[in-house]
Amino acid sequence: MDNRDVVSQAAGAFRAAVEALAESLPNGFVEHGPGGALLAFTRSQIPALNGIVSVAAAPDTTEIGLLCENAAKQAQRLPWSIRLRGEPEEALVGLALDHGLGTVSRQPFMLRRLTGTRKETAGGGGPVRPLRSDESETFAEVLGAAFGAPPAVITSLYTPAVLSLPFVRAYLAEADGEPVAAGLGILTEQHVGLANIGTLPEYRRRGLARAITDTVVQDATHAGAHTAYLHSSDEAVPLFERAGFHVEESWTAFTA
C-alpha cells in the first residue's frame, strides 16, 4: 500500500467518525451522496460536525450541490460547514458562498503510523487519566477555557452519553491537583482520530498536550488502531510533529 492509499484510508476513517457521532445522537442526521460524500448533522454548535464531508481526491461539485440543499434544510440556525481534501475548484467556492459559507480556512491533515510502536509510545500514567463518567462538565470547562469558547459549545456535542460511547475515549491531565488539559480519541476502522486537545493558557509549555497525545495514541494502539490522524492548526503542527505526526495534505473548510 503506498502513502496515497494510507492517507485516503485515514480520510475515510475521519468521515466514518463524523458519521458514527451523528448516528449516535438522538437527533443526529446522516445522508450519503451518490459519490460517497457525507452529509451529517450532530446538531451541536460545532460547525465542523454539521454539514458535508467529502474525502474524494476530486470532489464532485454536483454531488456537493445536492447535499448543500439538504444541509440548508437541516441546519436551520445551526452552524455548518463543507470540508474537502485539497484545493477546491472555483465552482465549489461559489457554491459555498451561495449557501452563506464565505469563510475559507485550510487545515493540515497529519498522520502517524502506529504499527509496531507500542513500546515506543511515551504516554500512560503521569498527569493524564481517563475521563470519569461524572466529569463531562469539567471536560467542557477545560476545553472551553483552552480554546476560548463557551463550555456550552463543548457540551452541545460531548454529552455524557457521547463521552461514554465505546469508540470515544476522553482524557484529562492534571496539574496542582486540578484538571488543566483535555482531549479525546475516536476509534473507527482501525484508525484513531485525535480531537480537541487543549490546555489552559497558564499551564501551557509543560508538556501536558503532548502527554495527552501520547496517551491517546498508546491506548488506541493497544485497542488495535494502526494509524492516528488529526486536523491541526498551523500553530500546533510543531507539537504534533514532535509526537511523531507528519503533515500529509491540506484540507479546506467553508464556514459562515
Side-chain angles (χ1 to χ4, degrees), residues 166-218:
F167 60 89
V168 176
R169 300 185 179 189
Y171 302 85
L172 290 174
E174 295 183 340
D176 303 325
E178 297 292 334
V180 298
L184 59 89
I186 301 176
L187 282 80
T188 55
E189 301 180 351
Q190 293 184 285
H191 290 68
V192 59
L194 281 72
N196 302 113
I197 296 176
T199 305
L200 300 185
E202 61 269 32
Y203 286 92
R204 289 172 184 164
R205 302 188 182 279
R206 297 192 187 187
L208 295 170
R210 171 65 188 272
I212 290 178
T213 298
D214 287 341
T215 301
V216 172
V217 167
Q218 175 177 274

Side-chain angles (χ1 to χ4, degrees), residues 74-256:
Q74 290 291 326
Q76 299 180 8
R77 296 184 180 181
L78 288 171
W80 63 287
S81 64
I82 302 172
R83 302 186 78 181
L84 313 166
R85 296 172 65 189
E87 287 294 320
E89 296 180 350
E90 194 63 33
L92 267 172
V93 176
L95 178 65
L97 188 60
D98 288 344
H99 286 85
L101 306 180
T103 299
V104 183
S105 59
R106 290 168 178 81
Q107 288 184 304
F109 187 58
M110 305 184 73
L111 267 63
R112 174 180 167 180
R113 298 298 299 275
L114 306 182
T115 303
T117 63
R118 295 185 185 207
K119 294 182 180 179
E120 301 170 13
T121 308
V128 181
R129 61 173 176 80
L131 189 75
R132 296 194 301 264
S133 61
D134 62 347
E135 291 184 307
S136 60
E137 292 293 336
T138 301
F139 185 77
E141 289 169 4
V142 172
L143 284 185
F147 291 107
V153 172
I154 310 300
T155 57
S156 69
L157 173 64
Y158 296 125
T159 64
V162 167
L163 291 171
S164 65
L165 290 168
F167 60 89
V168 176
R169 300 185 179 189
Y171 302 85
L172 290 174
E174 295 183 340
D176 303 325
E178 297 292 334
V180 298
L184 59 89
I186 301 176
L187 282 80
T188 55
E189 301 180 351
Q190 293 184 285
H191 290 68
V192 59
L194 281 72
N196 302 113
I197 296 176
T199 305
L200 300 185
E202 61 269 32
Y203 286 92
R204 289 172 184 164
R205 302 188 182 279
R206 297 192 187 187
L208 295 170
R210 171 65 188 272
I212 290 178
T213 298
D214 287 341
T215 301
V216 172
V217 167
Q218 175 177 274
D219 287 355
T221 301
H222 285 291
H226 57 64
T227 305
Y229 66 86
L230 56 89
H231 290 92
S232 176
S233 65
D234 290 333
E235 295 78 10
V237 164
L239 163 69
F240 293 116
E241 286 180 333
R242 290 191 293 271
F245 287 80
H246 301 279
V247 175
E248 298 292 348
E249 62 184 20
S250 178
W251 285 43
T252 301
F254 298 94
T255 54

Side-chain angles (χ1 to χ4, degrees), residues 32-59:
H32 296 95
L38 173 70
L39 173 59
F41 271 78
T42 63
R43 305 202 187 284
S44 70
Q45 293 298 315
I46 302 174
L49 296 175
N50 295 320
I52 299 165
V53 177
S54 173
V55 298

